[in-house]
Amino acid sequence: GAVVSQHPSRVICKSGTSVKIECRSLDFQATTMFWYRQFPKQSLMLMATSNEGSKATYEQGVEKDKFLINHASLTLSTLTVTSAHPEDSSFYICSVYVQGARGYTFGSGTRLTVV
Amino acid sequence: KQEVTQIPAALSVPEGENLVLNCSFTDSAIYNLQWFRQDPGKGLTSLLLIQSSQREQTSGRLNASLDKSSGRSTLYIAASQPGDSATYLCAVRRRTGANNLFFGTGTRLTVIP
C-alpha cells in the first residue's frame, strides 16, 4: 500500500509558459499532500502543504501566485508553475504521510527545466 | 527551528565493508525519524522509520538507531554492495505543529566493486 504516482517525470518548457505537475495517491485517500523542491546537490525543502478541499499552506518565501496548488480530490494534488523562468528549474517531488509503520511516501519526482 | 545535519557528506567504501551514516537534529521533540534512499534523478525510497519511543529498527542489512535525548541517529549498512550506492537522507517529523519532514543534507555513498 501507499503508492504515490507523480507525472510527468521530466519536462522542458519555454520561459514564460506554465507547467502542471500531478501527484496521485493510487491506493489510499490523502487529505494532505506535501510539495518539495530540491536543487542540485541540496536537500529537499518544503514548498507547501496541499489540503483537500481547501487552500494550500505555503512556506515562507514561496510565492503562492507562482506555484498554484490544487487538491480537488482525495487522490490528486497538482502543482502548477506559472510563468516559469530558468531559476524555477529544479526537481519537484510530492509526498503523503501514511499513519503507522510506513511514514512518509514520496512520488518519483519531476525534473523541470525552463529554457 | 529544527535543523538536521548529516555527516559525512560523501563516503566511498570498498564492496563488503560495513559502514555507518550519521544524522543529528537540534530539537529532540520529534514524532519520528525516517531514513530514505535517493538514486540520482529519482524520488525517495523509504528505508526505515523509527518512532520516537523506539531505539532501533532493522530491515535486512540495514539497522537504524535513535538516541532522541542526544539528537542522533545512525544508519548501519552491513556488507555493502555496489547497488547500495545512492544518497541517503534522514528526516525528522516534529511532535507538534505542522506534520512535514525536516531533511538532512544527505550522505552520498559510493560502494566500489
Side-chain angles (χ1 to χ4, degrees):
Chain A
V3 177
V4 178
S5 173
Q6 190 171 338
H7 178 81
S9 59
R10 190 179 294 268
V11 59
I12 300 173
C13 71
K14 291 184 177 180
S15 186
T17 62
S18 295
V19 173
K20 180 185 285 188
I21 302 169
E22 293 186 347
C23 181
R24 292 181 185 273
S25 58
L26 299 185
D27 52 358
F28 65 98
Q29 296 179 331
T31 56
T32 303
M33 293 185 179
F34 304 94
W35 287 96
Y36 290 83
R37 179 167 55 185
Q38 185 180 34
F39 291 106
K41 299 192 187 311
Q42 295 186 25
S43 193
L44 281 75
M45 295 298 295
L46 180 69
M47 298 176 65
T49 301
S50 169
N51 304 298
E52 187 270 335
S54 64
K55 292 182 179 180
T57 303
Y58 290 81
E59 294 299 302
Q60 191 172 13
V62 178
E63 300 174 57
K64 61 179 68 176
D65 293 331
K66 181 168 187 61
F67 298 100
L68 300 179
I69 290 175
N70 184 281
H71 194 154
S73 78
L74 289 171
T75 60
L76 174 65
S77 175
T78 61
L79 168 67
T80 301
V81 183
T82 63
S83 186
H85 291 286
E87 56 265 33
D88 298 324
S89 298
S90 187
F91 189 67
Y92 294 86
I93 188 166
C94 66
S95 90
V96 298
Y97 182 78
V98 181
Q99 192 70 30
R102 294 198 63 88
Y104 288 84
T105 299
F106 283 79
S108 54
T110 298
R111 170 71 60 192
L112 170 64
T113 303
V114 184
V115 298
Chain B
K1 180 185 175 184
Q2 179 73 271
E3 292 185 5
V4 183
T5 305
Q6 289 185 247
I7 295 173
L11 179 65
S12 289
V13 300
E15 181 177 2
E17 193 164 293
N18 303 326
L19 59 102
V20 175
L21 307 180
N22 297 291
C23 172
S24 61
F25 46 95
T26 54
D27 186 350
S28 62
I30 65 170
Y31 189 81
N32 57 37
L33 181 146
Q34 199 162 353
W35 281 93
F36 296 90
R37 166 190 174 134
Q38 184 177 29
D39 292 287
K42 304 293 185 182
L44 276 64
T45 300
S46 178
L47 298 174
L48 290 165
L49 170 69
I50 309 178
Q51 302 293 346
S52 62
S53 59
Q54 298 174 323
R55 298 282 294 183
E56 66 176 346
Q57 283 287 332
T58 298
S59 175
R61 294 183 293 110
L62 306 179
N63 175 278
S65 69
L66 174 63
D67 184 343
K68 198 174 59 171
S69 61
S70 66
R72 296 179 187 277
S73 175
T74 62
L75 178 66
Y76 174 83
I77 302 178
S80 58
Q81 302 172 357
D84 295 331
S85 298
T87 295
Y88 290 80
L89 296 162
C90 75
V92 297
R93 177 186 167 185
R94 289 184 301 188
R95 178 164 293 282
T96 59
N99 58 352
N100 58 284
L101 288 175
F102 289 87
F103 280 87
T105 47
T107 294
R108 190 171 71 254
L109 173 67
T110 303
V111 180
I112 305 167

